[in-house]
Amino acid sequence: MALALTLLSSGTAAAGRPADRSAAADRGAGAGRGTAAANSRPDPALRALAEKVVAAPNPNPGAFLLARDGTRIRSGAAGVADRSAGAPMRSDLKFRAGSITKTFTATVVLQLVAEQRLRLDDTVGELLPDQVRADNALSGAPITVRQLLNHTTGLYDYIDGLIPHFRGLDQYWPRDQLIAIGLDEPRYFPTPGTRFRYSNTNYLLLDLIVERVTDRDLRTNLERRVFTPLGLRDTSYPLAQRTIDGPHTRGYTDVSFLLPDAPDATRFDITGFSPSEAGASGALVTTAADLARFYRALLQGRLLPPGLLRSMLTDTVPTTGSPAPAVGYGLGVYVYATDCGPAYGHGGTAPGYLTFALNSRDGREQLVAHTNWSPLADTGIDEDFWSAFQRGYCGGA
């Protein structure tokens, strides 16, 4: 049974999207702290979609959607960000982004490739010889950096093995322990590169590779290479800190299978769950405005050279076996099938949080959608969420 970090997927296409506006005007609209959320125009259609998410069968306290079409920024929210205080949901609040973290981690890895400090075809055995033992999953056919990025390693997902090690919501999970859980189980398939199987273990190994290559931890690399250059002042990568600084949504989940005696177990406040459980695969705390700014910068070529950005988005593998709308996975990026064409980005669940980030290929049309409830068990993508979120992305009501 999977704790948190259920991936959200990606897909192919249909009709095209409208053309974008002035690039210079758009750059101005994206500057400054929290600009996208602060300058967004309340939109009744997006609010109606958020209300549908809150009214869905699952007990969703609140939801918001932040949409961007060129220089036009719209938002809509419904429900509450904090059930105890009754604080209304807002699109400028911080939240745990879950597996959206993977695109950030992949960006750092590809920057190191651009700097010729790594190659996509380097093997884990070459880069992390201490991790390769005769009694673990790395002892089989060699695994490359590319295969870690696109989830074709076949390595067991440590998330699926957490329950026997669970000691409490405040438990700190050392990275080496999580990697060991992933490597002590047999591979899902013996030959890397032959098919897709999502595994958070891949990104913890990438975390370790970044640290070995740069002699700096992933947090420092994210701050120096991504957060600071893009002015993502509301984005952080906490591991030991269980609280979220500043105004934020509180996350709720069903813990009845973990803590059967917990009061109101189907709406348990799990905001303080340790982000160390996710690490490089999902520990990011951010805002909708910061996510939109990151993906816009990435897709417009401000973080990676053209060739590597193209590889990130187009060297995709079919996401066979993943729930719709997933159709392809690149190097840390999903391709989603929407009613208005392919969307690029990622989705993520963290305990109590569910988020989508959808973007057009040029980064000019965007949607960040969030609800502060998610199941701890992997139940796939809720159709009500996806229906509302993709309609917000495609401009529907």
Side-chain angles (χ1 to χ4, degrees):
M1 188 170 286
L3 264 183
L5 298 185
T6 306
L7 64 131
L8 298 168
S9 300
S10 46
T12 20
R17 298 190 56 83
D20 196 16
R21 325 293 172 241
S22 161
D26 180 66
R27 283 194 296 272
R33 181 181 179 119
T35 302
N39 292 349
S40 64
R41 177 176 60 84
D43 185 275
L46 292 183
R47 177 177 173 81
L49 291 174
E51 288 172 342
K52 288 183 179 180
V53 172
V54 173
N58 288 320
N60 306 293
F64 70 74
L65 297 91
L66 180 77
R68 184 165 190 166
D69 178 5
T71 57
R72 186 174 66 133
I73 306 168
R74 300 170 294 125
S75 64
V80 296
D82 184 331
R83 291 178 62 226
S84 295
M89 178 61 81
R90 305 196 320 260
S91 62
D92 61 343
L93 297 174
K94 293 183 181 180
F95 53 86
R96 300 195 190 280
S99 287
I100 292 174
T101 307
K102 290 182 175 66
T103 308
F104 287 73
T105 301
T107 297
V108 170
V109 171
L110 292 175
Q111 287 179 342
L112 294 174
V113 172
E115 295 164 11
Q116 299 185 343
R117 303 169 76 177
L118 270 181
R119 294 177 303 168
L120 288 173
D121 293 327
D122 285 343
T123 68
V124 176
E126 295 167 337
L127 296 167
L128 303 174
D130 297 343
Q131 271 61 44
V132 181
R133 304 192 317 263
D135 62 346
N136 74 21
L138 292 178
S139 65
I143 289 170
T144 67
V145 171
R146 185 192 307 274
Q147 291 161 352
L148 292 173
L149 287 165
N150 67 13
H151 296 293
T152 59
T153 65
L155 291 176
Y156 179 80
D157 189 345
Y158 75 86
I159 290 289
D160 291 339
L162 284 186
I163 294 298
H165 304 273
F166 179 76
R167 300 293 178 268
L169 298 179
D170 59 350
Q171 178 175 350
Y172 181 82
W173 300 83
R175 178 183 60 191
D176 289 350
Q177 178 189 11
L178 299 176
I179 290 175
I181 292 171
L183 298 186
D184 287 347
E185 296 291 333
R187 295 186 188 185
Y188 293 120
F189 48 88
T191 307
T194 55
R195 61 188 177 94
F196 174 86
R197 179 44 160 97
Y198 192 91
S199 174
N200 291 284
T201 305
N202 296 323
Y203 275 71
L204 295 197
L205 289 169
L206 288 169
D207 177 3
L208 194 51
I209 288 170
V210 168
E211 190 171 288
R212 294 283 177 89
V213 169
T214 67
D215 200 30
R216 295 187 177 97
D217 62 17
L218 181 61
R219 177 190 287 110
T220 301
N221 276 282
L222 287 168
E223 290 172 350
R224 294 184 179 184
R225 295 170 175 272
V226 181
F227 301 169
T228 299
L230 297 184
L232 306 184
R233 299 182 184 91
D234 292 320
T235 299
S236 60
Y237 178 71
L239 291 178
Q241 181 178 337
R242 295 171 53 227
T243 57
I244 301 176
D245 294 332
H248 59 276
T249 66
R250 299 198 67 81
Y252 301 90
T253 192
D254 181 353
V255 294
S256 55
F257 75 96
L258 265 183
L259 304 171
D261 296 328
D264 200 7
T266 60
R267 294 194 178 189
F268 187 84
D269 186 335
I270 199 168
T271 307
F273 194 88
S274 175
S276 62
E277 170 258 357
S281 68
L284 200 75
V285 169
T286 189
T287 62
D290 274 9
L291 277 187
R293 189 177 307 153
F294 163 71
Y295 276 107
R296 201 171 189 81
L298 175 66
L299 293 167
Q300 294 185 345
R302 304 209 299 271
L303 292 172
L304 295 173
L308 280 173
L309 177 60
R310 186 164 52 251
S311 294
M312 186 184 215
L313 302 177
T314 62
D315 291 355
T316 57
V317 293
T319 52
T320 306
S322 295
V327 296
Y329 198 91
L331 306 181
V333 174
Y334 267 108
V335 185
Y336 294 84
T338 78
D339 291 343
C340 54
Y344 301 83
H346 218 289
T349 65
Y353 299 92
L354 170 61
T355 311
F356 279 93
L358 307 179
N359 306 270
S360 60
R361 171 61 181 83
D362 57 10
R364 293 168 177 172
E365 285 79 38
Q366 300 179 285
L367 178 82
V368 178
H370 174 78
T371 181
N372 57 341
W373 191 93
S374 74
L376 282 182
D378 183 352
T379 57
I381 301 172
D382 187 285
E383 292 183 5
D384 291 312
F385 296 159
W386 174 249
S387 175
F389 293 170
Q390 82 144 345
R391 286 172 69 187
Y393 175 67
C394 293

